[in-house]
Amino acid sequence: SLIVYSQALNLEKLWKVQDKLTGYLEITDWQIQTSPDGSTDLSACAQVDRVNEQDISFLFEDLSQTLQLELALLRHRPKLTQPGLLVMDMDSTVIDIECIDEIAKLAGVGRQVCEVTELAMQGKLDFSQSLHHRVACLANTEESLLIRVRDSLPLMPGIERLLRILKTNGWKLAIASGGFTFFADYLKQRLGLDAVLSNQLQIKQGRLTGRIEGKVIDAKAKEQILLQRGKEHGISLEQTGPLGDGANDILMPKGVGRGG
C-alpha cells in the first residue's frame, strides 16, 4: 500500500504523486481517509504493485519537499485497531531540530560540527566516526547549554496526535536514536513513551568531556532494537512500524510493516 498524508491534500497532489512514480509503481484504487481524531487533515491510501525494483527513496524525498506531504510504502499495512509497536528516530522526526547542531551553535562551534557532518555526507566518515568527531567538538561545553536546548525542544507537527491515537489503540512507543539520552529521556516522560535508547554524552563537573559513554546507537543497533522490542511484547513484524528520516534509519524497515 502507498500512504500519502498532507494537511492540504487534494486531487492535484495525488495525480502529481502518481505521475512521478509511474514506471516504478503501478498505483490503483485510491481511497481518501479523514483523520481518526476529527481534525481536517487527510490521507490517501492506494494499492500498489512494483514494476521496477530500483530504489525510489529519492523520489519520495523529492515529492515530500516539493508537494509538502508525507509518503509511506507499506509491504504489510499495520492495523491500527490491533496492538503494535512504533520505533522512532528522535532528531528531525519526533522533534523539529538536530540537537547537536543547536548545542554547537550555542557553544560557538557550529562551523566545526557542520564541517564534520559534510564529511559524513560525502561518505568519508560513517555514522559512528562522524558522531565521535562532532561530539569531540563540544568538549568543555557547559551542561547548562544542553538544558537550554532541552527546555525549548520543538515537537514535530502532528507527532503528539499520532502518538495519542496509537496509545489509545494499545501500541507500544519507543525512541531509538543516534542522538542523546539527555533529550530522549526528557521526551520519554513528556510524551509517555515506553522506552528510549540513545547515546550517552559524558558529563563531568557540569561540562561535556567530548566523549560518548558506551556503544554508539547506529543503524544496525536501531534494527536490532526494533526486532527485540517487538519480540519482547509479542508483536508481529506486520504490526511493527519504524519512523525515521535519514541514513541511520535505513535498516529499520527491513522485514517489518513499512518498506520502500
Side-chain angles (χ1 to χ4, degrees):
S1 298
L2 175 68
I3 306 296
V4 181
Y5 169 83
S6 175
Q7 293 181 326
L9 187 62
N10 55 41
L11 289 176
E12 182 181 3
K13 287 186 177 183
L14 290 181
W15 300 150
K16 287 181 178 180
V17 168
Q18 184 158 331
D19 181 65
K20 191 76 171 181
L21 296 178
T22 297
Y24 300 92
L25 301 175
E26 182 179 333
I27 304 174
T28 59
D29 192 25
W30 283 107
Q31 295 182 5
I32 307 298
Q33 302 171 339
T34 58
S35 175
D37 70 346
S39 74
T40 58
D41 300 344
L42 295 175
S43 63
C45 176
Q47 296 301 310
V48 298
D49 288 311
R50 281 271 192 177
V51 295
N52 188 324
E53 290 302 321
Q54 183 177 343
D55 179 25
I56 59 174
S57 58
F58 69 98
L59 289 175
F60 275 39
E61 182 176 352
D62 179 60
L63 286 166
S64 295
Q65 294 178 356
T66 303
L67 301 178
Q68 294 297 297
L69 48 76
E70 297 178 25
L71 294 164
L73 188 61
L74 310 181
R75 293 191 184 97
H76 304 284
R77 188 178 180 185
K79 294 180 174 61
L80 179 63
T81 55
Q82 296 179 9
L85 168 67
L86 179 67
V87 178
M88 304 169 285
D89 179 40
M90 179 173 67
D91 297 75
S92 297
T93 300
V94 174
I95 55 177
D96 198 13
I97 60 169
E98 294 285 332
C99 289
I100 193 167
D101 291 342
E102 298 304 312
I103 298 167
K105 291 175 187 177
L106 292 174
V109 293
R111 181 176 178 180
Q112 294 93 310
V113 169
C114 285
E115 288 174 351
V116 176
T117 302
E118 181 62 27
L119 290 175
M121 293 177 66
Q122 294 173 4
K124 297 179 180 179
L125 297 172
D126 64 22
F127 177 79
S128 181
Q129 292 170 325
S130 170
L131 185 63
H132 281 297
H133 283 304
R134 284 182 290 164
V135 170
C137 296
L138 303 177
N140 207 39
T141 296
E142 294 183 0
E143 184 179 5
S144 61
L145 296 188
L146 275 69
I147 296 173
R148 285 176 59 184
V149 174
R150 182 197 65 191
D151 290 348
S152 59
L153 285 181
L155 294 178
M156 193 66 76
I159 193 68
E160 287 183 289
R161 175 164 52 84
L162 170 64
L163 300 183
R164 182 171 63 251
I165 293 170
L166 291 175
K167 282 195 287 187
T168 299
N169 286 276
W171 280 56
K172 299 294 183 180
L173 309 171
I175 281 178
S177 172
F180 307 123
T181 302
F182 192 93
F183 306 103
D185 284 348
Y186 166 78
L187 290 170
K188 179 183 179 182
Q189 181 177 8
R190 178 176 175 180
L191 298 174
L193 307 179
D194 297 287
V196 297
L197 188 63
S198 53
N199 296 302
Q200 180 71 51
L201 289 169
Q202 188 180 75
I203 302 175
K204 292 185 177 180
Q205 296 181 340
R207 292 181 179 271
L208 301 187
T209 66
R211 296 182 178 182
I212 294 172
E213 296 182 342
K215 184 179 179 181
V216 168
I217 305 302
D218 58 10
K220 185 62 177 178
K222 288 189 176 188
E223 179 190 26
Q224 294 171 345
I225 292 163
L226 185 146
L227 296 173
Q228 179 183 345
R229 296 295 299 181
K231 186 176 181 180
E232 288 175 358
H233 293 294
I235 296 171
S236 68
L237 292 178
E238 288 77 11
Q239 282 295 109
T240 302
L243 184 63
D245 73 306
N248 201 33
D249 306 304
I250 198 168
L251 292 181
M252 285 203 294
K254 289 190 175 182
V256 300
R258 177 178 176 178

